[in-house]
Amino acid sequence: MPMSRARSGAVPAALLASLLSQAVSAAPTAVGGAVLTPVAAADLPGFPGAGAEAALDAFRRVCAAPPPALPQPDGVVGDPAALAEACAAAAGPVPDAAAFFHERFEAFRVARPGADRPGFLTGYFEPELAGSLELGPDFPTPVLARPDDLISLGPGETRPGLDPGLRAARATADGFAPYPDRAAIDDGALGARAKPILWLRDAVDLLVLQVQGSGRVRLPDGRAVRVLYDGRNGRPYTAVAKLIVQEGHLPLEGLTLARWTGWLRAHPETAKRLIRANASYIFFRLAPVADPVLGPPGAANAPLSPGRSLAVDSTLWRYGLPFWLAGPLPGATPGEAGRLVIAADTGSAIVGPARGDLFVGTGAEAGVAAGNLRDAIGFVVLLPRRAAVPGAAP
């Protein structure tokens, strides 16, 4: 459940124990091929921005969330003990959100030697689709629940006999096997394990839901339910929009979500072939819409905050780390020189230390904004100070 704006109490004991039990390390000088260079907060124009309170709210939500379903690998950047201390401080009264980020964190510019741009930022959103809890002529396309034989694999984890690149496995009587790809699932490979949780109008809406990883579905009676990510078949993801461009059906320039999904619906036979070429398949579960202002839970298990939650490479960065996106963003207020955001999610296409995907919000308008967000931007990571470590700088 999302935390209220007025908060009190402490960080959940399970989270504190988990973070504090991990090894404490000094601030790194490099990550994923990028150099981390200390920078004074005073040298970051506009930092921490007018929305420091909104960033603090997003930070608190990650602190209060249960541990991720898939643990992050050892060695990700972000001292867990220091981050736990910052979470504990944020759980109590914070008179000045801007001062909190100045006092509790140190800024490091993320620079990739030889890169032609400082970093790359895209946007994603929570679609709102029409659907039904019952199969019918208007809603013939099933959204499937997670099958009981699906085994999700964490970073670096594998199973005997499987290609190490696969991120899921199927438990069989003879051991582990690759999970069926999209085309096989569409053709009935799951058998009785294919259990629909609701129905959408077509395969294009299902693709949009799977690409974004979650969504809201408006039912015929006007109610809205949330459809949340609950695992994937572990097969490689292929962007259908990219295939449309590669085959010459649409130009890259001006390619919006509405345009390429509209093209798919206008060319159903080609659409079927291209969608099946994306071997990745996502499974879902239903949940209520507890707070219509917030998005679905991200990979960090915290509700996403529009404009403040960032998907990062979770093999490099610890969830909960603040980032300063150095540069004006589309839709920014006049004079906004950057934005303070919180690492709360990840994605298969989010790879590298200076790569992020900003959660924009819910609905069609957010979808347009997310589709237009493809900007070169500077990344500055805020690493928590180790105030409680003997001998460390306060």
Side-chain angles (χ1 to χ4, degrees):
M1 293 287 290
M3 297 181 68
S4 61
R5 193 169 182 81
R7 295 171 176 83
S8 61
V11 177
L15 174 62
L16 277 173
S18 172
L19 291 176
L20 290 171
S21 67
Q22 300 179 55
V24 176
S25 58
T29 58
V31 56
V35 176
L36 299 186
T37 305
V39 56
D43 293 333
L44 298 175
F47 179 85
E53 181 63 38
L56 180 59
D57 277 352
F59 178 71
R60 284 166 163 159
R61 291 188 183 98
V62 175
C63 289
L70 288 177
Q72 293 186 262
D74 295 336
V76 296
V77 173
D79 184 327
L83 189 59
E85 289 180 358
C87 283
V94 179
D96 187 330
F100 173 84
F101 287 105
H102 274 285
E103 295 166 1
R104 288 281 172 176
F105 296 89
E106 295 178 282
F108 293 80
R109 198 180 303 279
V110 182
R112 299 173 301 162
D116 58 356
R117 57 188 177 190
F120 187 52
L121 182 70
T122 52
Y124 70 113
F125 75 111
E126 180 187 36
E128 184 168 278
L129 307 168
S132 173
L133 298 176
E134 304 292 337
L135 172 64
D138 294 331
F139 301 107
T141 302
V143 176
L144 298 184
R146 180 189 179 99
D148 60 8
D149 64 343
L150 174 64
I151 298 174
S152 298
L153 304 178
E157 186 181 4
T158 187
R159 290 291 186 272
L162 287 183
D163 183 331
L166 294 176
R167 305 287 8 110
R170 190 178 202 179
T172 73
D174 299 322
F176 300 101
Y179 215 79
D181 63 13
R182 175 182 296 273
I185 292 172
D186 285 346
D187 290 342
L190 299 187
R193 287 188 166 93
K195 300 182 185 301
I197 58 173
L198 54 72
W199 305 79
L200 299 176
R201 62 173 173 162
D202 58 25
V204 177
D205 272 357
L206 176 62
L207 176 66
V208 171
L209 180 66
Q210 293 183 323
V211 168
Q212 299 303 321
S214 63
R216 295 185 199 181
V217 173
R218 187 70 58 179
L219 302 176
D221 62 6
R223 291 182 298 138
V225 294
R226 182 160 267 151
V227 185
L228 299 180
Y229 175 95
D230 200 22
R232 56 191 290 260
N233 66 344
R235 298 281 188 160
Y237 169 76
T238 299
V240 175
K242 183 177 180 180
L243 296 179
I244 293 174
V245 172
Q246 288 178 340
E247 293 192 1
H249 303 299
L250 290 174
L252 178 60
E253 183 177 357
L255 188 67
T256 63
L257 174 68
R259 190 174 184 192
W260 67 261
T261 56
W263 186 91
L264 289 174
R265 290 194 173 97
H267 302 83
E269 289 303 315
T270 305
K272 180 178 180 180
R273 174 177 61 82
L274 294 179
I275 291 173
R276 286 165 68 92
N278 173 26
S280 177
Y281 197 96
I282 309 297
F283 302 100
F284 296 94
R285 61 184 175 88
L286 293 179
V289 180
D291 186 338
V293 175
L294 297 174
N301 263 338
L304 299 174
S305 302
R308 296 291 169 178
S309 293
L310 185 72
V312 297
D313 187 335
S314 63
T315 68
L316 301 177
W317 303 112
R318 190 175 302 281
Y319 296 136
L321 289 178
F323 283 79
W324 174 249
L325 300 178
L329 297 176
T333 58
E336 184 180 2
R339 185 175 300 175
L340 189 58
V341 298
I342 307 298
D345 204 0
T346 191
S348 58
I350 311 305
V351 178
R355 176 73 173 93
D357 207 17
L358 184 67
F359 178 70
V360 177
T362 300
E365 186 174 336
V368 172
N372 290 333
L373 183 52
R374 297 181 61 84
D375 285 46
I377 202 161
F379 280 72
V380 177
V381 63
L382 304 184
L383 299 182
R385 299 179 188 272
R386 303 171 65 194
V389 178

